[in-house]
Amino acid sequence: MKEIIFNRDDYESYKDFYVQLYRELDGKSFGDWQAYENLNYNASMLDEFLWYNNDKIVKFVFIGFDLEKIKKQKTYDDYEYDIIFKVFDRVVSEYKNFTMEIIKERK
């Protein structure tokens, strides 16, 4: 099982999340995705990119993401993260080889 850890402290903005995910799931290995190293910072592309990887067994670990605060969408980053988590919730429920863990406290 591959484990990908997303630590909010490592990001300046939600855009860094997209770059890390692309790198961790080796987006360059998919011909269709070679030109999208940041998935255009777009949740629709995120959804499709995860579908391309649905044959992998992956645990996604999110550290330092306060979902209650994010859902209030007080900042643009919160707005974008809210969409990202909606995509992950759906994808994880649809593809049983994907799991997700959210750790609210930062280490």
Side-chain angles (χ1 to χ4, degrees):
M1 172 191 296
K2 180 173 181 75
E3 184 174 89
I4 301 175
I5 299 173
F6 303 102
N7 188 332
R8 185 142 187 196
D9 287 341
D10 295 340
Y11 304 142
E12 290 184 33
S13 81
Y14 73 94
K15 293 179 178 182
D16 297 323
F17 161 82
Y18 282 101
V19 172
Q20 179 186 353
L21 179 68
Y22 179 87
R23 185 181 64 246
E24 296 272 356
L25 290 177
D26 195 20
K28 288 188 183 270
S29 67
F30 300 106
D32 295 343
W33 293 95
Q34 290 180 353
Y36 300 102
E37 292 181 5
N38 55 25
L39 304 178
N40 286 348
Y41 311 118
N42 181 288
S44 293
M45 291 187 81
L46 168 64
D47 185 57
E48 188 173 347
F49 183 68
L50 290 171
W51 177 81
Y52 266 74
N53 286 278
N54 73 25
D55 61 334
K56 298 176 182 172
I57 299 172
V58 183
K59 179 179 182 181
F60 300 100
V61 179
F62 295 89
I63 299 173
F65 291 87
D66 183 343
L67 297 185
E68 294 169 17
K69 180 182 175 221
I70 288 170
K71 287 181 186 206
K72 293 178 183 175
Q73 299 183 7
K74 291 190 176 189
T75 67
Y76 187 73
D77 264 15
D78 288 344
Y79 167 78
E80 290 291 339
Y81 279 123
D82 190 43
I83 295 169
I84 288 167
F85 280 106
K86 286 177 182 173
V87 169
F88 268 91
D89 283 340
R90 189 193 61 73
V91 167
V92 167
S93 69
E94 190 170 327
Y95 301 108
K96 300 304 178 195
N97 54 324
F98 286 164
T99 59
M100 178 172 66
E101 179 181 0
I102 300 170
I103 303 169
K104 189 175 175 180
E105 276 86 44
R106 295 177 168 131
K107 295 181 179 183

